[in-house]
Amino acid sequence: MADNSRPARPVILGQNQYGKAENRVVKITRDGATHHIKDLNVSVSLSGDMDEVHYSGSNANVLPTDTTKNTVYAFAKEHGIESAEQFGIHLARHFVTSQEPIHQARIRIEEYAWERIEHSGKGAHSFVRQGQETRLTQITYDGATWEVVSGLKDLVVMNSTDSEFWGYAKDKYTTLKEAHDRILATEVSGRWRFGWSDDADPMPDWEESYAQTKRHLLQAFAETYSLSLQQTLYAMGARIIDHRGELDEVRFSLPNKHHFLVDLEPFGLKNDTADGAVYFAADRPYGLIEATVLRDGREARIPVDLTNL
Ligand SMILES: O=c1[nH]c(=O)c2[nH]c(=O)[nH]c2[nH]1
C-alpha cells in the first residue's frame, strides 16, 4: 500500500485556501409588473484545518467547492440579496459557524449595476447594464463617394420577462426544454450605414443620429414581446430603418447571454420564474444571432462579420 503519510522532508505547507470562484448569480425579485435585479459574481475562499488534504489526500475536512457554489444559489433564493455586503456576511458566517474545520471564509463579490430602460410599453422589466457602450464609426472615401458606417458595441441589455422560446425543430440531439418565461439578455454589437454618399447632399446630424438610433434600438428591445432573439433583432433593426431616414442598412451581432434557472429542488426550494427566481448567468458557449435589416431597394454593404469593421 502506498505510504501517504506526511513525508519526512524539510518541507511544510504554507498558506492555503480553496473554494468556488466566480459564481454568477442573478436574482430577480418581482413586485407585480416591476422587477428588480441583483447581478453578482461571488467568489468563495475558505481556509482552516486543511493540512491533511494536502499531505495525505484525506478529504474529511473538505466541504466541496461544489457545495459552496450550491450554497450561494440557495441563499440567494431563500434569503434574497439585499446588498452584496449583507449577502457576503451571511455566507461567510454560514461557512465558519457550520463547519468546524473552517476557520476563515473570504467572500469576494463583484456587482454589476443595471439601469431601467425607460419606454412607453407596459411593465418594468427591461434593463441596460451601467457603463458606457463603445461608439464606433468607419469612413471610406475614394475621392468621389463617401461611405459612413457607425454603430456601437458592448451595450448589455436584459428583459427579465416577456421572452419565450418554444416550437423549435427537434432531433435526437435536442435536449433544450421549451421556455414560456425566460430572461432575454444580450450584448449588442450593431452597425448602421448612412445613405449619405455625396458631398453635394446635406450631411446628417451625426450626434443626433447616434442618440436617436441607440434610443430606438433600446426601446424596440424593451417593448418587443419576444419569441426568439432573432425576432427581437429584426424588431430593433426595423424600428431604426422606420424612424431614421438617414440610414439604409443595420446589422446586428447578438450573443444570447443565457441565464439558466438553478435547480434548487435538492434543497427543498422551489425556484420558478413566477415569484422571482435565481439564475446562473453562463458566459459560454452562447447562441450568436446575426442579421442585416435593410431599407427596401438598398444594397447590403455592411460586412457579415462585424469584427471586420
Ligand atoms: O432566441 C433564441 N433563438 C435561438 O435560435 C435559440 N436556440 C437556443 O438553443 N435558444 C435560442 N433562443
Side-chain angles (χ1 to χ4, degrees):
M1 206 179 80
D3 180 4
N4 287 330
S5 60
R6 185 177 163 183
R9 284 189 292 161
V11 180
I12 55 162
L13 175 69
Q15 196 282 342
N16 61 89
Q17 58 193 21
Y18 81 105
K20 195 71 96 192
E22 305 213 42
N23 298 285
R24 291 284 290 101
V25 56
V26 173
K27 173 77 173 76
I28 304 293
T29 308
R30 293 189 174 204
D31 177 10
T34 301
H35 292 195
H36 305 274
I37 176 174
K38 277 287 185 191
D39 183 356
L40 307 182
N41 190 9
V42 181
S43 292
V44 175
S45 202
L46 307 175
S47 51
D49 196 357
M50 297 293 158
D51 286 5
E52 275 314 306
V53 62
H54 295 90
Y55 287 134
S56 72
S58 165
N59 292 322
N61 285 356
V62 178
L63 183 72
T65 66
D66 188 66
T67 305
T68 69
K69 175 199 72 186
N70 290 344
T71 310
V72 169
Y73 289 105
F75 272 34
K77 178 65 194 175
E78 209 169 0
H79 310 291
I81 302 173
E82 218 176 86
S83 63
E85 287 81 0
Q86 162 273 335
F87 192 60
I89 288 167
H90 198 178
L91 283 166
R93 178 177 290 123
H94 167 80
F95 292 122
V96 172
T97 59
S98 65
Q99 293 292 318
E100 204 262 331
I102 295 173
H103 302 159
Q104 198 184 76
R106 188 200 68 196
I107 313 293
R108 286 190 169 161
I109 302 179
E110 290 179 357
E111 177 166 358
Y112 308 114
W114 293 84
E115 262 169 44
R116 285 185 193 286
I117 299 175
E118 301 301 335
H119 62 94
S120 52
K122 59 182 172 46
H125 53 254
S126 301
F127 304 90
V128 56
R129 258 268 289 267
Q130 268 179 26
Q132 280 298 312
E133 75 279 5
T134 302
R135 181 173 162 180
L136 305 163
T137 193
Q138 171 180 289
I139 289 126
T140 315
Y141 181 52
D142 61 6
T145 303
W146 294 95
E147 186 191 76
V148 182
V149 179
S150 296
L152 54 74
K153 61 178 183 177
D154 306 330
L155 180 71
V156 184
V157 290
M158 171 190 292
N159 284 325
S160 55
T161 189
D162 284 6
S163 166
E164 308 188 19
F165 187 67
W166 50 269
Y168 39 80
K170 298 180 184 79
D171 70 8
K172 67 177 180 172
Y173 301 112
T174 305
T175 56
L176 184 73
K177 291 216 170 59
E178 299 201 326
H180 295 275
D181 187 0
R182 66 172 186 172
I183 283 184
L184 186 68
T186 186
E187 181 178 306
V188 179
S189 179
R191 306 289 185 277
W192 36 90
R193 187 171 56 77
F194 289 83
W196 180 80
S197 64
D198 189 332
D199 269 318
D201 296 330
M203 261 191 212
D205 178 338
W206 310 111
E207 297 296 284
E208 178 67 6
S209 177
Y210 181 80
Q212 293 301 328
T213 302
K214 180 181 160 191
R215 185 175 70 78
H216 284 300
L217 170 173
L218 286 174
Q219 302 216 329
F221 177 82
E223 292 171 14
T224 301
Y225 189 105
S226 177
L227 298 176
S228 66
L229 185 51
Q230 288 89 330
Q231 183 197 21
T232 295
L233 181 156
Y234 182 77
M236 289 158 61
R239 177 148 168 174
I240 290 169
I241 295 294
D242 275 344
H243 287 83
R244 301 308 304 173
E246 75 277 22
L247 301 176
D248 279 352
E249 179 187 3
V250 185
R251 185 167 177 84
F252 285 115
S253 177
L254 302 181
N256 194 350
K257 293 173 75 75
H258 302 298
H259 287 68
F260 298 111
L261 265 182
V262 184
D263 178 11
L264 299 175
E265 286 285 337
F267 323 120
L269 296 170
K270 207 162 136 273
N271 190 30
D272 62 37
T273 48
D275 65 346
V278 173
Y279 297 85
F280 160 58
D283 68 341
R284 62 189 72 168
Y286 49 87
L288 186 59
I289 310 299
E290 306 182 283
T292 296
V293 183
L294 276 175
R295 189 173 300 289
D296 197 13
R298 303 297 153 88
E299 229 181 278
R301 294 207 208 117
I302 299 176
V304 166
D305 184 352
L306 294 187
T307 57
N308 291 333
L309 186 85

